[in-house]
Amino acid sequence: MYHILVAEDEPWIRSSVVEMVNRIGEGTITLSEATNGEEAWALIQETWPTVLITDIMMPKIDGLSLIQKIHELGIPMTYIIISGYDNFQYAQKAIRYGVTEYLLKPVDMEQLREALRRCEQNVNNLKEISQYMSRFQQLVNAFGEAAPQTAGRKMSELIDSVLKLKYINPAARLNLLRLFEWKLTGLMNEMSPGQSVPSIPADAEDTAIIRHFNQLADIMIMHYAKQNKTNTNNIIKRVCDYIHTYYKKDISLTEMAQLANMSISYFSSWFKRCTGRTLVQYIQEVRIEKAKQLLLETQLKNYEIAEQVGFATQPYFIRVFKSSVGVSPNAYRKRMWL
């Protein structure tokens, strides 16, 4: 299973692409959604997708600037660009960053299927590296909950396993470690702006590298221990109350991060740590609960319910409902009425 991030600022196009990808993937993928380039950049640091499907023209950070940032940091990823602008200059610039798939709006499902199929080889090449990125993110997410000794041991085991990778060259292995360090440093600066954070020593031996990451893990654990739990509870309540009130809207990660007075990147990992769900998953759960109420209390049709609870399209609503509840909306209504 691999992870795909869809970055698109127009809700109905984003929902349509997500629905097509889900139908093409048939359970072999996981998905994240971003409403602008800034959100996409934050989610990349949180979910480490293997495929990015992005619009070119987006608020905050445009698609090509986003790909440039990914390329410059050496984050392993493959790309599919979608755009309403048939402009060869965009395609030329995209090629510099390794983009080979360029689709015009409205996106055709068969063209998207073929683009994803052509991406498969790159995805397979990135699979093991991506697994290390996922393991690292799981460890970061557990810092606030795991015992210090456990977190330190897991960090040592992860770094040691990266150092023992034989199938990639030393430069690529070092780049993976640099990405880990960059992520930890960014989080520390979020929690304690201006904190001095050491870097991996040049030409360090393996034991020194492991010790370096253990020190970073210790600093992270210390920061989490200092967080005010009461304040955290107040913030998460405010965010969740907002979602329960405005679930019909196209609620964005940017909007919720501003409400919590956090950066997008930090809010994304913080929200998941507090609730056990991503923001999109939490919003969908709220919408599905509201949909279940409407199915039982009204005679509204599926497309009307989808619109009332905030889903952009009826097919998307039906797929999410069935995935969450286990049966289609119609089957749920019949079963509960019986």
Side-chain angles (χ1 to χ4, degrees):
M1 181 173 285
Y2 59 97
H3 191 89
I4 296 177
L5 172 62
V6 177
E8 167 61 63
D9 61 306
E10 296 181 67
W12 71 272
I13 296 178
R14 185 173 68 251
S15 296
S16 176
V17 172
V18 166
E19 179 60 22
M20 284 190 281
V21 170
N22 271 307
R23 288 167 62 187
I24 293 167
E26 296 181 336
T28 63
I29 59 156
T30 56
L31 266 169
S32 294
E33 305 173 37
T35 65
N36 59 56
E38 191 176 39
E39 284 186 16
W41 179 236
L43 285 172
I44 284 165
Q45 300 169 56
E46 174 69 21
T47 64
W48 306 105
T50 42
V51 179
L52 171 66
I53 301 176
T54 182
D55 190 6
I56 285 183
M57 308 304 293
M58 290 190 298
K60 310 288 186 180
I61 302 173
D62 66 78
L64 290 182
S65 296
L66 177 64
I67 290 171
Q68 182 179 359
K69 286 166 74 78
I70 297 165
H71 182 78
E72 289 174 350
L73 270 171
I75 300 174
M77 203 175 303
T78 188
Y79 318 100
I80 297 174
I81 282 181
I82 56 174
S83 176
Y85 300 86
D86 189 6
N87 188 321
F88 186 63
Q89 287 182 337
Y90 285 126
Q92 279 185 315
K93 189 172 180 182
I95 288 169
R96 299 180 206 167
Y97 306 124
V99 179
T100 57
E101 302 299 332
Y102 187 96
L103 304 178
L104 292 176
K105 298 178 183 177
V107 177
D108 176 79
M109 183 165 176
E110 289 309 311
Q111 290 181 342
L112 180 58
R113 188 193 305 276
E114 285 301 305
L116 285 170
R117 184 188 61 77
R118 288 190 293 268
C119 285
E120 279 185 11
Q121 184 58 50
N122 283 335
V123 168
N124 289 334
N125 292 339
L126 299 175
K127 192 172 182 180
E128 192 159 5
I129 293 294
S130 297
Q131 287 174 349
Y132 276 97
M133 307 290 276
S134 297
R135 284 179 58 189
F136 170 73
Q137 188 61 47
Q138 289 167 8
L139 177 59
V140 170
N141 291 341
F143 273 144
E145 301 167 2
Q149 299 88 341
T150 302
R153 176 177 53 78
K154 289 186 175 180
M155 177 65 81
S156 295
E157 291 172 352
L158 176 61
I159 300 305
D160 185 56
S161 65
V162 171
L163 292 170
K164 289 178 178 176
L165 287 173
K166 301 301 181 186
Y167 68 94
I168 61 175
N169 63 53
R173 188 164 57 242
L174 180 60
N175 185 63
L176 184 56
L177 294 172
R178 293 286 188 197
L179 284 173
F180 291 173
E181 182 185 51
W182 170 74
K183 170 70 174 181
L184 291 173
T185 301
L187 284 173
M188 289 177 206
N189 287 331
E190 288 283 352
M191 292 186 283
S192 181
Q195 158 117 18
S196 176
V197 182
S199 297
I200 299 176
D203 302 320
E205 298 291 333
D206 288 1
T207 52
I209 292 173
I210 293 173
R211 186 165 57 251
H212 168 73
F213 276 96
N214 285 343
Q215 289 173 346
L216 294 183
D218 288 342
I219 296 172
M220 286 289 294
I221 292 165
M222 179 187 68
H223 278 305
Y224 280 122
K226 287 182 177 178
Q227 285 184 329
N228 187 316
K229 187 172 179 58
T230 301
N231 189 46
T232 295
N233 290 341
N234 290 337
I235 296 172
I236 196 66
K237 183 179 185 303
R238 183 164 73 244
V239 170
C240 292
D241 285 349
Y242 183 95
I243 294 169
H244 280 267
T245 302
Y246 298 104
Y247 61 89
K248 296 179 184 180
K249 291 175 49 182
D250 184 34
I251 300 173
S252 70
L253 184 61
T254 302
E255 185 180 7
M256 292 298 90
Q258 290 172 347
L259 182 64
N261 196 28
M262 298 177 186
S263 74
I264 295 172
S265 178
Y266 185 66
F267 173 82
S268 180
S269 58
W270 172 85
F271 186 84
K272 188 172 183 180
R273 190 169 65 251
C274 290
T275 66
R277 306 164 186 81
T278 66
L279 180 66
V280 169
Q281 288 170 340
Y282 189 89
I283 293 170
Q284 286 185 347
E285 284 183 11
V286 172
R287 288 173 174 169
I288 292 301
E289 287 304 311
K290 301 296 182 182
K292 287 161 73 175
Q293 290 180 18
L294 292 175
L295 285 165
L296 297 181
E297 298 170 3
T298 73
Q299 296 285 344
L300 292 174
K301 299 184 184 303
N302 284 340
Y303 76 88
E304 294 173 310
I305 292 175
E307 184 178 349
Q308 287 206 18
V309 300
F311 284 96
T313 66
Q314 178 181 321
Y316 189 32
F317 161 62
I318 292 173
R319 185 189 62 77
V320 173
F321 189 97
K322 190 170 183 179
S323 174
S324 176
V325 182
V327 295
S328 69
N330 289 340
Y332 176 81
R333 175 180 267 161
K334 290 177 183 177
R335 185 176 71 182
M336 297 306 290
W337 280 1
L338 287 174

